[in-house]
Amino acid sequence: MKNPKYLSAVLAATLLSGCGDYLEAPPTVELDETKVFADRTLTERYLTGVYAEGMPLGFCMSSSNTDRRLLSSSTLGSACDEGEDVADWARGNSAWNTDNHNNNSASWDEDCRHDLRWETLRKCNIILERIHEVPFDQGDPDFNKRTEGEAYFMRALVFWEGVYRYGGLPIIHFRMSPNDFSEHPRNTFEKCIDAIIADCDHAAGLLPDYYTDANKKGRATRIAALALKSRVLLYAASPLFNNDTPYLPFPGHEDLIGYGNYDRERWKKAADATKEALDAVNASGQYGLYTDGTPETNYEYVWTTPDNKEIILANKKYRNFKVSARPMVANLPTWAMNKAWGDGGLYATFNFVKFYEKKDGTKADWAEAGGNNLMDIYNTLDPRFAQTIAYHGSKWSDEVGIINFLPNGAQSSSTDKTRHLLHKWVPRTMKVTPPLNTANVDWIVFRVAELYLNYAEALNEYYDAPPTAAFDAVAKVRARSGMPPFPAALDKAGFREKLQNERGVELAFEDHRFWDIRRWLIAEKEGVMQGKMYGLKIKSVDGSTTNIHYEPYVFEQRSWSRRSYLHPIMQNEVNKGYLIQNPGW
């Protein structure tokens, strides 16, 4: 370039091994763009900034827009039927659970990277435009090829993060000011999906299946690109987008919020893409369902142990979490965080607890009016329950010991509405009294179990009856937790119901449920995004801590509007005259 532009390049520290803050960006500096692409190290740092800005992160790590999310809650669980925040001011409660949104609140209510997304896409385009200028390095001969593949992957991922929230958006595959995206009209949803899939295919053709260098953990691979393709096509084939009738009338613009018609072949495309990803997983020798422990430990190992075989891609921007700082504080009640944040805590609703079947695969023995057998019911449940939820009589950690949620019990709290506390994401080694320790926990973006569930769903929806391969895929996921296969007699509708429940259990609090509800068009169902949310009241039957009476009760009535199946386009951008607002807003 004769007149090189200066840009705000988010840099990241040189990749570190061990306990380094890999992919965490230090302060922004001004760099000559031409100098960036004349130096392999600067190019790598520039790319690392794209990861820092663009990789999904469910944890709320700061008050900055990039990593804010719902502020008090570490995941979207409190914004759907999975959970409830203790903090009444938390955006997850005040906005989603009371249907309190407006045309300019999306970036605060959930999509904190709304503005940053276009800057990140711009950087991906710049890399793709100039990567050929980076000098060849004999020490890393695949650098340019790999970096190009990573840029295609991140462009696909970041753009997808916008499309499933808003529908069709402007496709910008060229250098553009991030403030000018709204001066381009929205492309159709179909064209957006096609563009994302094309980028996934480009990335898959350039990236390795895995890295042997620990410093590159957390970077895109061919298998990550195939996993993204699987998810994109699964969502695209789902009722929200693959439907003859849109979720709200939108005359003349139906193709912005979906395909505008139903085509069963879209499920076939999702199944084929997922099969390709699973075949690559199985051929790699590096990935697979984690089954090396016991049914009582396998599931928990997946999310407490970074870089285990089941994780295809994780956000490693933050490595060392402390109980005195986010995100763990957001999940922990006052008794488990040294009173550091008095209104912290993420609780699981009884609506969600009822997702867990008995170990024999039948429904749990919950009674509408309650009963005296709470501990007996707990003992019958799917092993994933005890590895996800902290409940009365369960062990929190060696330090805290057995939880007592009874009135005046050691862990009772006036803010506890449900008597079921989220334990997932909090390692049992995490100390809650000084001196506090740290723990390495990755935010999982893609893992192998999701692929098996994607495959089962796509096959069931494509065929008139669930094929054997769909049963087999689900059985693999359930077997590692000691759960039996689905009953062979299930028809298409029965399989769908069981599969949706299975996704709720297996992918709990990983920010899947919030979006699954939308793509399945089930938000209006009682107790999902609207209606009664239940907790439990418990008391001792005989004065002991083991003979417990439970009583379900309604702690909240939630509201929902169909317009919320997609976020609104920010009204200040619509007012510029180029972008069409989504229906209902």
Side-chain angles (χ1 to χ4, degrees), residues 208-222:
D209 283 0
Y210 56 88
Y211 298 104
T212 56
D213 182 354
N215 290 334
K216 291 184 173 60
K217 294 288 187 180
R219 290 190 177 275
T221 63
R222 180 176 78 96

Side-chain angles (χ1 to χ4, degrees), residues 21 59 98 146 173 208 234 277 333 348 420 436 442 447 473 525 558 576 580:
D21 291 326
F59 297 137
T98 59
R146 186 176 67 247
H173 283 181
L234 183 82
H420 293 108
L436 302 174
D442 292 337
R447 64 184 176 95
K525 292 181 66 174
R558 294 183 179 175
K576 295 177 182 178
I580 297 171

